[in-house]
Amino acid sequence: MNEIIKKRRKEMELTQEQVANYLGVTTPAVNKWERGNSYPDILLLPALARLLKIDLNTLFLFKENLTEPEIRIFCAELVEIMQEEGFDTAFQTALDKTYEYPLCDSLIYLVATVMDNCLTLNPADLDDKEEYERQIIMWYQQAASGQDTVIKNSAAYMLAKKYIKNSLYDQAQQLLETIPENNFDKSVLLVDLLLHQGQCDEAAEIIEQKLLTSLSSIQPLMQKLINIELTTGNKEKAEQIAQIAESMVSLFGLWDYGAFVPKLQLSLFENDVDNSILQLKKIIHAIHTSWDLSKLPLYHRIAQMPGIDMKKALVPALVHEFENSKEYDFLRDHREFQKIISDLSQEC
């Protein structure tokens, strides 16, 4: 408050004596206000605000919530305080700030994560460690019940981790069910929860499905990268990436289809008729060859799960691509290419 009074008085080109005369107080009293040695009487505050042409919220430096930059600066300061003055002082500073802004979900969540990480890094014999842990959980609970959807889900995720650690499995399960699947990857926590409950096969199924999905999503990215390298004249890099893609199929037991597409990209780029036809035949053979997950150590538990009929999904798309993409123009009059299109069209 003292800085606001001093700043506004000078902006309005008033002396301390003039302010004192307007409010019926002494000049030394105004001087003490500006130095922070004392505060105006509560009955003087409305008149002082009117004199300085500000509202009471401004006079009191009142803000409903902190801004995101202010929160991040404060959290950085917490780390500095912990390093210089110790965990206890940093924690009390964090607690005071959350008391000052009890409805600021972003502040409460970030303070919880910072102090949670700091607590993990501190010695096990830290005084009142259990009490600190309880307060951190309370912060997560508070943030998880807030209005901001992103913060709410993030806090629920962190809280579920705490519940699993403390063997509160039912509460962890209930929390995980509230987090939208499309906005958050809950697989790691679900695996932890199932493992703590002794459900190893169920946990392994989640891991296998996650692994297969992740690896499969990498292949299209590598194909895009090959195209970029070819377009920018880096043929050698493109060939290296194609080799990596092929090795990945073998190493992780992926569908053979993914090993031949990069080679086809290289052949098409060079207008290599013979090799393009060869790779197309290999791709068609892969589409018609069963991919038996039950024989693969990484995916044998999900082998019996219903999956997508890849042949049914791919064949129409391939026919459309072969008939319309300019990449295949140099193959249009080739008898074997026409036969490939004809055979595939009959399956649509």
Side-chain angles (χ1 to χ4, degrees):
M1 182 188 293
N2 60 310
E3 290 297 329
I4 289 293
I5 295 173
K6 183 178 180 179
K7 180 173 179 289
R8 285 298 296 157
R9 175 182 65 78
K10 289 185 175 182
E11 288 175 350
M12 298 182 66
E13 298 182 350
L14 294 172
T15 64
Q16 290 183 346
E17 183 179 7
Q18 287 174 312
V19 171
N21 291 335
Y22 278 124
L23 298 176
V25 296
T26 65
T27 301
V30 175
N31 183 265
K32 288 181 179 180
W33 296 347
E34 293 189 359
R35 287 186 293 153
N37 293 335
S38 66
Y39 295 97
D41 186 278
I42 191 170
L43 296 177
L44 288 174
L45 293 177
L48 177 59
R50 283 192 289 270
L51 174 63
L52 299 177
K53 296 183 179 180
I54 55 176
D55 56 38
L56 287 173
N57 285 342
T58 303
L59 182 61
F60 280 105
L61 290 175
F62 177 81
K63 292 190 292 185
E64 190 71 32
N65 279 322
L66 295 173
T67 64
E68 289 300 319
E70 288 172 333
I71 292 170
R72 297 193 180 279
I73 290 172
F74 174 71
C75 288
E77 291 172 351
L78 283 180
V79 176
E80 291 181 8
I81 293 172
M82 189 198 75
Q83 293 171 341
E84 296 174 4
E85 303 178 44
F87 182 87
D88 295 341
T89 302
F91 199 91
Q92 187 59 53
T93 303
L95 195 60
D96 291 342
K97 185 66 75 172
T98 59
Y99 285 154
E100 186 178 355
Y101 295 95
L103 298 179
C104 188
D105 296 339
S106 182
L107 169 70
I108 292 168
Y109 172 68
L110 287 177
V111 161
T113 56
V114 168
M115 299 316 300
D116 196 3
N117 291 331
C118 290
L119 186 61
T120 302
L121 296 173
N122 270 271
D125 59 352
L126 183 70
D127 292 341
D128 299 325
K129 189 164 186 176
E130 290 186 4
E131 185 59 38
Y132 291 141
E133 182 73 19
R134 278 193 290 271
Q135 179 58 55
I136 289 169
I137 289 175
M138 287 176 61
W139 278 330
Y140 282 137
Q141 289 172 332
Q142 190 173 346
S145 63
Q147 301 300 314
D148 187 299
T149 302
V150 175
I151 293 173
K152 184 176 181 177
N153 291 335
S154 299
Y157 183 91
M158 297 301 294
L159 190 55
K161 286 181 65 175
K162 292 289 184 184
Y163 286 159
I164 292 172
K165 179 182 176 182
N166 295 326
S167 302
L168 300 173
Y169 304 129
D170 289 342
Q171 289 166 266
Q173 182 67 49
Q174 291 172 6
L175 264 181
L176 289 174
E177 289 173 358
T178 67
I179 302 174
E181 197 72 52
N182 58 336
N183 293 334
F184 232 89
D185 183 2
K186 301 184 288 185
S187 57
V188 174
L189 276 191
L190 285 172
V191 166
D192 287 344
L193 180 59
L194 290 169
L195 288 176
H196 279 87
Q197 294 174 316
Q199 301 180 52
C200 295
D201 284 336
E202 291 82 351
E205 285 179 5
I206 293 175
I207 294 173
E208 288 182 13
Q209 188 62 65
K210 180 67 177 177
L211 181 61
L212 182 57
T213 302
S214 299
L215 289 168
S216 298
S217 68
I218 292 174
Q219 291 176 306
L221 297 178
M222 297 181 75
Q223 292 162 19
K224 291 287 186 184
L225 196 54
I226 289 171
N227 278 334
I228 292 172
E229 298 296 0
L230 289 173
T231 302
T232 55
N234 296 318
K235 181 186 172 185
E236 184 179 350
K237 295 292 184 186
E239 290 173 342
Q240 291 172 349
I241 297 168
Q243 184 60 51
I244 293 171
E246 182 180 7
S247 300
M248 202 173 91
V249 169
S250 174
L251 184 62
F252 292 103
L254 301 176
W255 190 23
D256 286 343
Y257 175 90
F260 305 129
V261 172
K263 290 183 177 180
L264 176 62
Q265 289 177 271
L266 296 174
S267 300
L268 293 175
F269 183 79
E270 295 179 333
N271 288 350
D272 185 335
V273 175
D274 292 338
N275 202 39
S276 294
I277 295 297
L278 176 62
Q279 299 308 323
L280 284 171
K281 287 181 177 179
K282 289 182 178 180
I283 287 173
I284 302 304
H285 182 265
I287 292 175
H288 291 86
T289 302
S290 174
W291 181 26
D292 191 355
L293 294 178
S294 64
K295 296 179 180 179
L296 301 171
L298 290 176
Y299 321 114
H300 66 96
R301 286 184 179 82
I302 61 173
Q304 304 305 318
M305 293 182 178
I308 300 173
D309 186 342
M310 298 303 294
K311 175 183 172 183
K312 185 177 180 180
L314 268 178
V315 168
L318 287 177
V319 170
H320 182 271
E321 181 181 347
F322 294 164
E323 291 179 336
N324 297 281
S325 176
K326 292 183 178 180
E327 284 184 303
Y328 298 91
D329 282 349
F330 71 99
L331 294 173
R332 296 287 172 218
D333 297 328
H334 196 281
R335 182 176 56 82
E336 289 190 73
F337 183 64
Q338 293 173 350
K339 187 176 185 305
I340 288 173
I341 295 177
S342 176
D343 290 344
L344 286 178
S345 298
Q346 293 177 18
E347 298 182 30
C348 293

